Amino acid sequence: MEDAYIVQGGNVLKGEVVLSGAKNLALKTVIASLLFESKVTLTNVPKINDVHELLHLIKKLGATVEQTGNRVTIDPSTLRSSKPDLLHASKLRASFLLFAPLLHKFKECRIPNPGGCRIGMRPIDRIISGMEALGVKTEYQSEDGYYDAKLTQSPKGSYKFSKPTHTGTELLIMLGALGENEIKIENSALEPEIDELILFLNESGAKITKDGTTIAIQGVKSLQQTKPFRIFSDRNEAVTFATLAVATKGSVEIHNLNPDQLLTFNELMIKAGVKVEIKSDSILYEYVGTLKPICITTEPHPGFMTDWQPNWAVLMTQSSGVSTVHETVFENRFSYVDELLKLGARIEYVENSVNDKEAIYHFNTDDSKVLKQKIQITGGAPLHSAAIKIADLRAGATLLIAALIATGESVVTNASILERGYENIVDKISGLGGKLKRV
Ligand code: EPZ
């Protein structure tokens, strides 16, 4: 296999899509399942590379995993190792979440410094200080890149994040769920995956409440599942298909999607002149005329998600004017720009006049570094075919959209990076009339 897509562009895409389960929830519930006493069943688990890697990783730790289609059953009672291997763990940002179940199971563990997409430095400094505030002892071993961690007492106390972190909030929730003490987390992140993780744990006996950005947890002795847990649909996938269809001047009806998770996105699609019709269990996105240029600034949920900005950028190449994209969550999320230039797009980096960087940016700012956090897109330039390369997951979806807009036949390489987070993407796009094949 060449690890690439051959794409015939220039077609108007129309039709319906049924979303897969959400990557950024499935990964967390699989890991949280290791906190349980006995078997846990998850349904609607997306068959994507990241989930595949994670299931492989926990199997190597001794967990028993049965998978039938999108149904996964995990038996954590056979866990025997407290040290995930670097090869698989380094492929997955979420692997550091294993701190919580392995500390509860073995009282100590070794976790490698996490890997993941090349979209920023992605340190875990706030997360380590959060664990230490709740009583975990940690030590970083630079010689092998592992963190040693010890849990000498049941987690307790409170911690306030300096800046919210999605997976950081989820880790402290998992850490606090078991034990006999009270825990309080402040300035936590608000992503819907976090609410769903809390629901998953509370359905199995946990005592977690959330009020805005404050989470209170009363540790419990054990967790027991009473019924299978369904992974909700992937709103990032929804954004990809909505921008794909509209960018080709078509339409798509997206099924089993929670519109509350896309309020900001839908608002801006309507502002851009897209018809957005919310139905009982689906949303219709339709191109109904020239797209207006709409500027966006990314923010943590409920703002405009950083995962959506690469898709938005390629949509704006089809607008009737000049727009900007300002990225505030990750410091290196424009890997797609040079590739879109190869297809004839008109994009340039522009000054982002930010006085208080520390207040605006959600990553740790360093005044010695020159930040390139803003691009300007001049719409209307026709896209033509080219050979382009995927560098990270959401950039991958963006380049596939661009190749489907462009006239002629394009080659998009590093397909497996995109398949880290998208299930059956070739079938779904072909179902809308897209012409592409995986080679
Ligand atoms: C999660 O990443 C998602 N990944 C990301 O999705 C998503 O973009 C992000 O949340 C925002 O919603 C998963 O759930 C597996 P953060 P996460 O911690 O938790 C910095 C995708 O495309 N930071 O909220 O890693 C961090 O580097 C992926 O599906 C520190 O500096 O995001 C980033 O700049 C990409 N120190 C910012 O904070 C820390 O200790 C926000 O990161 C923790 C985070």
Side-chain angles (χ1 to χ4, degrees):
M1 285 288 252
E2 301 292 337
D3 195 19
Y5 301 107
I6 307 292
V7 181
Q8 189 58 51
N11 300 298
V12 175
L13 302 195
K14 286 191 174 181
E16 302 184 35
V17 162
V18 176
L19 295 176
S20 296
K23 166 180 84 78
N24 292 342
L25 176 61
L27 296 174
K28 305 356 171 352
T29 46
V30 165
I31 291 177
S33 302
L34 304 178
L35 292 163
F36 285 56
E37 287 291 303
S38 54
K39 284 188 178 176
V40 170
T41 296
L42 304 171
T43 60
N44 200 34
V45 176
K47 286 194 284 183
I48 53 178
N49 292 352
D50 271 12
V51 168
H52 177 67
E53 279 295 338
L54 180 57
L55 295 179
H56 187 81
L57 182 59
I58 65 170
K59 272 192 262 184
K60 294 197 75 171
L61 292 172
T64 309
V65 176
E66 294 150 30
Q67 185 169 15
T68 327
N70 297 96
R71 187 185 178 89
V72 173
T73 297
I74 296 159
D75 182 354
S77 65
T78 54
L79 267 180
R80 64 179 180 282
S81 164
S82 62
K83 181 187 174 195
D85 71 288
L86 194 55
L87 172 62
H88 292 96
S90 60
K91 289 185 188 159
L92 267 176
R93 164 88 188 167
S95 60
F96 77 85
L97 292 166
L98 288 165
F99 268 122
L102 297 182
L103 279 170
H104 278 298
K105 186 96 183 173
F106 301 103
K107 303 303 170 225
E108 60 183 24
C109 65
R110 306 202 73 215
I111 304 284
N113 204 354
C117 277
R118 300 290 164 271
I119 57 179
M121 296 292 290
R122 307 191 78 176
I124 57 171
D125 55 320
R126 295 173 218 157
I127 297 164
I128 294 292
S129 41
M131 291 203 308
E132 296 199 341
L134 301 183
V136 178
K137 302 269 175 290
T138 70
E139 200 181 332
Y140 183 64
Q141 310 296 350
S142 53
E143 62 279 2
D144 65 359
Y146 272 78
Y147 284 91
D148 285 331
K150 276 196 175 57
L151 188 63
T152 51
Q153 55 171 7
S154 182
K156 66 177 180 187
S158 67
Y159 179 72
K160 182 171 185 171
F161 283 108
S162 54
K163 293 179 183 179
T165 149
H166 181 170
T167 43
T169 301
E170 290 161 336
L171 175 65
L172 297 192
I173 289 172
M174 291 186 207
L175 199 58
L178 287 180
E180 3 8 278
N181 301 317
E182 282 194 9
I183 299 257
K184 192 159 82 170
I185 309 166
E186 293 176 280
N187 199 22
S188 69
L190 294 169
E191 272 76 4
E193 288 84 357
I194 295 169
D195 299 325
E196 208 61 8
L197 175 67
I198 291 173
L199 176 67
F200 168 61
L201 294 167
N202 281 349
E203 277 184 357
S204 304
K207 294 196 174 97
I208 307 168
T209 56
K210 183 165 173 278
D211 175 9
T213 60
T214 299
I215 297 172
I217 308 174
Q218 169 56 56
V220 297
K221 204 164 164 338
S222 68
L223 297 168
Q224 205 89 32
Q225 193 181 42
T226 54
K227 59 183 167 44
F229 184 82
R230 182 180 168 77
I231 303 297
F232 66 26
S233 299
D234 197 324
R235 67 184 193 282
N236 291 341
E237 186 191 10
V239 166
T240 295
F241 277 99
T243 47
L244 165 65
V246 172
T248 65
K249 298 188 171 53
S251 66
V252 61
E253 183 158 352
I254 302 180
H255 291 276
N256 65 25
L257 173 60
N258 174 351
D260 298 345
Q261 295 180 355
L262 287 175
L263 295 176
T264 315
F265 174 72
N266 289 344
E267 209 182 286
L268 293 176
M269 283 290 257
I270 292 165
K271 239 171 136 189
V274 176
K275 176 180 169 189
V276 177
E277 195 183 325
I278 300 193
K279 304 184 180 180
S280 56
D281 91 324
S282 66
I283 303 182
L284 172 71
Y285 295 92
E286 185 172 0
Y287 176 88
V288 288
T290 310
L291 291 173
K292 300 189 192 77
I294 302 293
C295 303
I296 59 134
T297 295
T298 63
E299 291 289 341
H301 186 87
F304 192 97
M305 289 281 296
T306 169
D307 305 338
W308 305 340
Q309 63 89 338
N311 295 169
W312 190 262
V314 71
L315 181 68
M316 286 298 108
T317 64
Q318 303 306 298
S319 82
S320 59
V322 177
S323 61
T324 59
V325 169
H326 187 194
E327 172 60 49
T328 74
V329 179
F330 289 103
E331 64 272 46
N332 179 22
R333 198 152 208 186
F334 289 125
S335 72
Y336 58 86
V337 169
D338 292 348
E339 302 308 298
L340 289 184
L341 295 178
K342 291 179 189 165
L343 295 163
R346 293 173 55 197
I347 304 177
E348 55 190 307
Y349 287 94
V350 290
E351 212 24 66
N352 44 348
S353 50
V354 171
N355 301 327
D356 184 351
K357 289 196 182 94
E358 202 40 31
I360 296 287
Y361 293 120
H362 299 274
F363 47 83
N364 303 342
T365 56
D366 166 350
D367 285 341
S368 67
K369 286 218 178 73
V370 178
L371 291 176
K372 292 173 82 173
Q373 297 303 125
K374 198 171 190 177
I375 57 172
Q376 177 173 289
I377 303 152
T378 304
L383 301 188
H384 54 74
S385 60
I388 48 181
K389 197 171 171 184
I390 297 172
D392 64 73
L393 172 59
R394 307 300 165 189
T398 295
L399 298 183
L400 208 50
I401 295 171
L404 287 156
I405 298 168
T407 50
E409 183 174 284
S410 296
V411 175
V412 184
T413 54
N414 289 347
S416 53
I417 294 180
L418 184 149
E419 289 150 7
R420 287 188 44 215
Y422 292 89
E423 183 180 41
N424 301 334
I425 191 123
V426 171
D427 297 348
K428 289 185 181 183
I429 293 176
S430 306
L432 297 175
K435 303 272 179 284
L436 74 167
K437 61 177 187 235
R438 176 71 159 82
V439 294

